[in-house]
Amino acid sequence: MGQRHQLFVVARVRDRYRTLAVVHRQWLFEMGPIERCLRLIHIFEADPNQIPIKQEIRAACNKDDDFWTMATCLLVGSSFEPEIGYQHRVHSLAFNVTLDGIDNNDGITIIDISDTKNIKYCFAFLDGWHRKGLKPQSAGGYLARYEMDPDEDSDEDEDVEEEDESDEDQEQTTCQPKIEADATVLSVLDTRPQDQLEKYRMISKAVLRSWLDPNVEGQYNLDHGEEQGQSVRTKQSLREQTMELLINTLLGDPDHNPDAMAEARQFRHFALKLRNNIFSLAETKELPSSPALVRCLEIAFQGETFVDLSPLTHVSSKILVEAACTLRKSETVRSLDLSHLSQLSGNNLESIVCTASGLETLYILAMRQISFQCVTSLWTKNTTFKNIYHTEVFHHPLNPSPDYSSLLAGLQSPCITDTRNPIKNILFARVLSQKHSGEPNLRKADGITVDWQRSSLSHSPIDDENHMFFSVYPIKDILLPPTKLVNGLANFFRCASIDKTLCNMGEAYLIGSTMAKSFASASPYRMDDATTIMPLPDLLFKACSMAGKLLSALWPVPFPDLHPGELSIVIINETNPSMHTEGSYPSKFRLAVVGPKTADQRDGYIVQSFESYLEGSPQCSSGTQSEEEIATLVQYWKQRMSFVGSCEAAEIDELLPTAAKHMEGMRKSRVWQNTTRMWDQL
């Protein structure tokens, strides 16, 4: 059942094309694949994603394994776009799945990210592909499938095949919109997804042949023009020869060659040339692992905000640590890439991180010797971290779902300290303030406050026989600087305010999955950016996977033990079914940041508005986030999220004990016990 479509991410690895990630969509057709393809291209083009993508493609040269960064980008991009209120379930498939192993009746999308500055795409239908191969289709060609008569299909196939045999220049021309009109018409057309997509180059049929047949190699060497360019570049000018001689002298011992250093600094782009020479020697394994290298690296990266040491795979760990610590003393460095350096241990990383001042992003991809636990401990070593890219941090949420006991153990285990992420949970309450016209209104005498004690708890938000639905979404295991927190919540509210059925009628795992993707696409660096992809919240996404596999209305996360100093975000979604329109109910959102006053939760809660929390956030008081930055976030929230109201302290004091009592009672039911047994058997 369904119009089933798969999306593939491929890249050129050595001399052939291979798959890096695949997802399955049960319903995706007509404009759907075009919109998802465009969204994914924007993600793969985004600057913050370039280094993880590059390092994962590099890793593909040396391993035949899942590529978790790519899988996360593909999963989030193909199922979530907050700006248009789009969220949908997808299923990740094994990266090495074949076309014979997929369930498809509505074509596939293929995105080539070999060069993220020149991303290519195509669509293809699987009709007769064993006999004729895959025929790449543009966005317009894919949509034409729904408009043409079956008898016309063979003619288009011939045209596409003829195009595939043309050279790249002709291919580029055929990908442009074939429309002649005035500027006004073109500007309108450019807003359509299919016209935006047509600006990108298409994958050729020859590339598809290489992708389908691993034995097809050597077809994608550089063309003659590039080969000639390489031969020209080998003929160095006298100036270049002099610079290279000086650089080789410096690599011997820079401090004992002050004259050579003074002469070398007169050359334009000297630092860049020195850096490139170091990397070239590292690639040929001729780079000396000596103290002189530390000084050369310091010169090569002087004044840079991004330091990449990942090519130095054969330099000793001692020299690497010394170099990284020396470079980290510079206040200009914000990002450090140590990916693929298998000689570094967890202790080495701690030494580097502890000397850091102002380091915001650490890349330690493709380093199997560094455990997931080691990465989470690094989060606490440096208060300026906004993100750590590590393969296992991407991998954990996408692992097969744990059994219920393991999930509970993870929920109860300590994680990031309060200063790195004081927000532990999102407590989501959906209430039918009035069921249907003529039925009792669940409001107190003031006509505003909901009477939570009169409400009864539902297993599911679509069960209209009950008034309240409550679920807990853990986010304690992600780095959550203020910018990321604001972006994550804004992504969720933006999506939920457009797709009104999500909170009104969606199951807990759909709401939780949307929250997980909201934070995975929440940039810690800039506002209104949903293209920066980071790891999914581990415990939250695993709980979504568990409930989603059974299509269960029950949610596996219990009401948490709330401790003083630990905060939660309460979201109330108030819905009025008596005003039912177009398959959804009008609703409004309210928000508060809460924490218990004492260890005994009966003593009540400290309740803050979200703006007040931001102004007094630990990152602001510790100096890791400036007052100006916080003020910008507060202003953004007031302007862009003005439709989200605040909760009163008295309402929180009534809601949370009521929800805790209801959830505890539900866990004693036979339905709950039967469901947990099934979760343990997944």
Side-chain angles (χ1 to χ4, degrees), residues 180-245:
E180 294 183 3
D182 60 38
T184 304
V185 174
L186 285 175
S187 65
V188 172
L189 289 173
D190 280 347
T191 63
R192 303 189 311 176
Q194 61 267 43
D195 295 307
Q196 294 180 55
L197 197 54
E198 294 284 4
K199 297 175 184 177
Y200 295 90
R201 298 178 65 180
M202 273 180 58
I203 298 173
S204 69
K205 191 169 184 178
V207 167
L208 294 183
R209 281 199 297 268
S210 168
W211 176 54
L212 291 174
D213 185 357
N215 297 316
V216 177
E217 297 183 357
Q219 297 186 30
Y220 310 100
N221 294 328
L222 299 172
D223 62 30
H224 295 300
E226 288 173 316
E227 290 174 350
Q228 290 172 1
Q230 282 189 334
S231 64
V232 170
R233 283 194 293 270
T234 60
K235 298 177 182 178
Q236 293 180 318
S237 66
L238 180 61
R239 183 182 181 86
E240 289 173 328
Q241 291 178 25
T242 304
M243 185 190 286
E244 190 150 326
L245 180 62

Side-chain angles (χ1 to χ4, degrees), residues 564-628:
E566 296 182 352
L567 303 178
S568 296
I569 288 176
V570 174
I571 296 175
I572 297 176
N573 175 217
E574 191 174 328
T575 302
N576 191 339
S578 65
M579 299 175 64
H580 182 281
T581 57
E582 298 180 2
S584 65
Y585 305 143
S587 60
K588 61 181 180 180
F589 292 101
R590 284 179 284 148
L591 176 71
V593 179
V594 307
K597 293 178 179 178
T598 67
D600 188 346
Q601 295 177 30
R602 291 175 297 181
D603 292 336
Y605 299 86
I606 300 171
V607 180
Q608 306 175 71
S609 68
F610 188 58
E611 295 91 331
S612 298
Y613 165 74
L614 288 175
E615 291 168 344
S617 64
Q619 289 90 342
C620 183
S621 58
S622 66
T624 57
Q625 196 102 15
S626 70
E627 291 183 7
E628 292 77 11

Side-chain angles (χ1 to χ4, degrees), residues 105-126:
N105 65 355
D106 218 286
I108 60 176
T109 299
I110 308 167
I111 301 174
D112 175 10
I113 61 168
S114 305
D115 177 4
T116 53
K117 301 300 181 185
N118 183 26
I119 292 177
K120 300 177 184 178
Y121 82 98
C122 76
F123 305 98
F125 294 99
L126 302 189

